[in-house]
Amino acid sequence: MTQEKEEIYVLKRDKGESARLDEQHTFLVDVIGGSPIHASISKDRLFAVADIATGTGIWLKHVSELLTKEVPSDRSRYYQGFDISPAQFPANAGDIHFSVQDVLEPFPPEHMNRYDLVHARFLVGGIREADYKTVVANLVALLKPGGYIQWVDFDVDALSQTKKDEYPRFSEIAKQTLGSAVRLGLSSSAPAVIYEASKEAGLVDVTRHEYSTLAQPQLHERAQRWMLRVFRAVVPELLLRSGKVANEETALRETDKLLKEIEGCFAAGVVPDARIGIVVGRKPE
């Protein structure tokens, strides 16, 4: 009898979380420059696109609309979303295909060497740092020669804020919360780990790009709202898994207390400096 793997993903998969993820997609695209595809990737070569940990498929939907509008072609395009759970797959998928897949396991043969672009985003909350090399190797296997990987993730170590000396409480709460995630085995520096794993896996032209919410004043209020929603989503589960609380009711109550403190910091002018990293690499021809 095989032993069932322990779930490490710290978010829910209900309608509320699906709505948060869709809203988060729009915010993250704005943070990284306004396009779901990095500028270093040639859009006119993209005819088979896969999305890892796809959730609701919002990234694939955006990419499908973008390519149809900006790079029209008589050649058909294929879009595939993979996730370990089907719970958030859309009821009306349109021209997008979805299937269940654990990224720690090899993909089915029909997907090998098939894709021009494989995208992954925010796996920092779903895989242990020790497993990044395995995941990158599995994603490389999906690529056609010359195909690209684009991986977008959050750099926990780089999270900072304005007004550190005047209002240190936000940094204290962030350190405690994110420290709990790292103790679960999640990565504190995912973009750096992905970058090294991509080079080790044999990708070429590997580049790493960093984007800061603090460097974009037009996004400051949205960054505050986004950070509040992220904390509301992850803190209860982290409190439970760390053993700091005995049940979900207490976890929600403690989360509300922390959120009120964060709201007070934001009202006083604190802006979170969230660092989003993108790693792009290409499979050799």
Side-chain angles (χ1 to χ4, degrees):
M1 182 181 295
T2 59
Q3 187 173 5
E4 194 171 313
K5 291 183 180 179
E6 179 188 0
E7 173 76 270
I8 191 171
Y9 188 62
V10 296
L11 297 171
K12 296 182 182 295
R13 295 187 174 96
D14 55 19
K15 289 183 178 179
E17 177 58 15
S18 293
R20 189 194 69 81
L21 289 177
D22 285 355
E23 182 180 310
Q24 175 175 265
H25 166 78
T26 302
F27 173 68
L28 292 177
V29 168
D30 287 343
V31 170
I32 65 175
S35 174
I37 300 173
H38 192 264
S40 63
I41 297 172
S42 178
K43 297 186 185 72
D44 60 6
R45 296 181 58 183
L46 305 182
F47 291 94
V49 180
D51 186 31
I52 308 302
T54 193
T56 67
I58 186 67
W59 183 87
L60 283 170
K61 181 181 178 183
H62 190 171
V63 168
S64 172
E65 293 169 351
L66 176 71
L67 294 180
T68 299
K69 180 180 179 180
E70 293 191 2
V71 196
S73 175
D74 293 334
R75 183 178 169 186
S76 63
R77 292 187 171 96
Y78 181 84
Y79 300 97
Q80 174 71 47
F82 297 104
D83 204 294
I84 198 170
S85 168
Q88 292 170 295
F89 292 168
N92 183 8
D95 63 347
I96 300 173
H97 304 265
F98 291 92
S99 58
V100 174
Q101 175 69 36
D102 182 347
V103 294
L104 296 178
E105 302 295 336
F107 286 70
E110 62 267 26
H111 292 290
M112 298 297 188
N113 302 299
R114 181 173 188 175
Y115 296 97
D116 303 300
L117 172 61
V118 174
H119 170 265
R121 183 169 65 187
F122 275 32
L123 269 69
V124 68
I127 59 174
R128 292 179 173 85
E129 183 171 300
D131 293 326
Y132 276 68
K133 290 182 181 180
T134 297
V135 175
V136 170
N138 286 339
L139 302 192
V140 170
L142 297 175
L143 292 174
K144 296 177 184 176
Y148 289 89
I149 281 179
Q150 174 183 303
W151 191 325
V152 182
D153 230 312
F154 179 53
D155 192 333
V156 171
D157 279 344
L159 178 62
S160 186
Q161 58 137 318
T162 55
K163 302 192 175 186
K164 296 180 187 177
D165 296 331
E166 294 176 78
Y167 299 96
R169 184 57 180 152
F170 173 76
S171 294
E172 292 170 2
I173 294 172
K175 184 176 181 179
Q176 292 169 3
T177 301
L178 299 174
S180 296
V182 172
R183 284 190 289 275
L184 290 174
L186 304 177
S187 178
S188 65
S189 54
V193 176
I194 296 160
Y195 177 76
E196 294 300 329
S198 297
K199 292 194 296 182
E200 189 171 320
L203 293 177
V204 297
D205 302 329
V206 181
T207 56
R208 178 182 167 191
H209 313 268
E210 184 179 81
Y211 302 82
S212 165
T213 57
L214 193 59
Q216 304 181 66
Q218 75 279 12
L219 298 178
H220 284 184
E221 289 187 10
R222 290 173 65 191
Q224 291 171 329
R225 293 196 299 271
W226 170 70
M227 188 62 67
L228 281 168
R229 296 196 72 180
V230 168
F231 273 85
R232 183 173 291 280
V234 304
V235 169
E237 185 64 22
L238 289 175
L239 287 173
L240 283 167
R241 294 197 193 186
S242 68
K244 293 179 179 178
V245 298
N247 52 58
E248 185 175 1
E249 181 181 354
T250 305
L252 293 173
R253 187 166 59 246
E254 291 302 313
T255 299
D256 284 339
K257 291 179 182 178
L258 291 176
L259 289 175
K260 286 179 181 178
E261 290 191 75
I262 295 174
E263 287 172 345
C265 293
F266 289 170
V270 170
V271 177
D273 183 12
R275 304 294 178 93
I276 309 300
I278 299 181
V279 175
V280 177
R282 184 171 59 84
K283 190 172 186 177
E285 296 281 358

